[in-house]
Amino acid sequence: MRACYPGSFDPPTLGHDDIIRRAQGMVDELVIAIGRHPEKKSLLSVEQRLAVLQACYRDLPGIRVVAYEDTTVHFARKIGTQVLIRGLRSYADFESERGMAEVNRANGFDTIFLLASPVHTALSSSLVRQVLAAGLPLDGLVAEPVAQALQQSPTDTA
Ligand code: ADP
């Protein structure tokens, strides 16, 4: 089975990493799909996010990293999967995810939700952006290739 894990990944965190590694063990191919939102101000460019995610999972079989501009389900259809992966940290995540998951389901795309590991329930890309802007260490928040890319990026976009 092929599944698609869509998201902004701006930047990718160890919470995303946990979901990716767990999902990878369940499917034949996991496509990490970075949504392009040209209207949104980003910390890392889509190209930087592609490069760091490719660096993180170079040695993990069955992982593909791509960027897309379509709606998620159009993109999922294009790559030939009807299965989406999303992470759930909290009830708030559940509430914000359920509407879209129901619509996607009605259109033939089902979502597998993986619960965030307890150590990652408070971790988000926006927390990482704040920590970076405050000049605090990123240990335990992001993988090494991500930390390196962030250290080279401007820090005024939290
Ligand atoms: P989006 O803008 O699409 O929500 P994100 O990059 O913020 O993109 O999140 C992508 C997916 O990863 C979402 O399903 C989100 O709930 C999940 N996720 C984000 N952070 C974590 C975390 N710390 N643990 C588990 N899942 C997470």
Side-chain angles (χ1 to χ4, degrees), residues 5-9 15-16 19 86-87 89 93 97 116 120 123:
Y5 180 31
S8 308
F9 306 106
H16 294 124
I19 299 295
R86 297 285 285 175
R89 287 161 290 188
D93 269 359
E97 295 279 336
H120 295 136
L123 178 52

Side-chain angles (χ1 to χ4, degrees), residues 5-20 22 33 35 37 40 49 68 72 85-90 93-94 96-97 111-117 119-126 129 141:
Y5 180 31
S8 308
F9 306 106
D10 188 32
T13 70
L14 289 181
H16 294 124
D17 176 76
D18 183 50
I19 299 295
I20 289 165
R22 288 160 57 198
H37 304 289
K40 266 204 213 163
R49 281 175 262 166
Y68 72 104
T72 300
I85 304 282
R86 297 285 285 175
L88 282 185
R89 287 161 290 188
S90 61
D93 269 359
F94 171 73
S96 70
E97 295 279 336
T111 307
I112 297 175
F113 288 101
L114 295 181
L115 283 185
S117 295
V119 288
H120 295 136
T121 52
L123 178 52
S124 63
S125 297
S126 65
R129 292 197 292 270
L141 305 180

Side-chain angles (χ1 to χ4, degrees), residues 5-6 9 12-27 30-33 53 56-57 60-65 85-87 114:
Y5 180 31
F9 306 106
T13 70
L14 289 181
H16 294 124
D17 176 76
D18 183 50
I19 299 295
I20 289 165
R21 290 177 188 277
R22 288 160 57 198
Q24 182 268 346
M26 299 174 191
V27 299
L30 181 68
V31 180
I32 304 171
L53 284 166
C56 287
Y57 305 112
L60 205 58
I63 300 261
R64 189 146 57 103
V65 188
I85 304 282
R86 297 285 285 175
L114 295 181

Side-chain angles (χ1 to χ4, degrees), residues 27-101:
V27 299
D28 302 306
E29 187 181 35
L30 181 68
V31 180
I32 304 171
I34 305 167
R36 265 185 208 277
H37 304 289
E39 74 288 354
K40 266 204 213 163
K41 192 173 177 187
S42 65
L43 177 62
L44 294 180
S45 68
V46 169
E47 287 63 35
Q48 284 176 305
R49 281 175 262 166
L50 271 168
V52 292
L53 284 166
Q54 275 157 357
C56 287
Y57 305 112
R58 190 168 291 138
D59 298 330
L60 205 58
I63 300 261
R64 189 146 57 103
V65 188
V66 298
Y68 72 104
E69 280 174 47
D70 270 348
T71 61
T72 300
V73 293
H74 284 123
F75 175 73
R77 183 176 288 131
K78 232 183 249 172
I79 61 166
T81 182
Q82 288 161 307
V83 178
L84 306 173
I85 304 282
R86 297 285 285 175
L88 282 185
R89 287 161 290 188
S90 61
Y91 195 70
D93 269 359
F94 171 73
E95 278 304 331
S96 70
E97 295 279 336
R98 70 184 296 176
M100 190 46 75

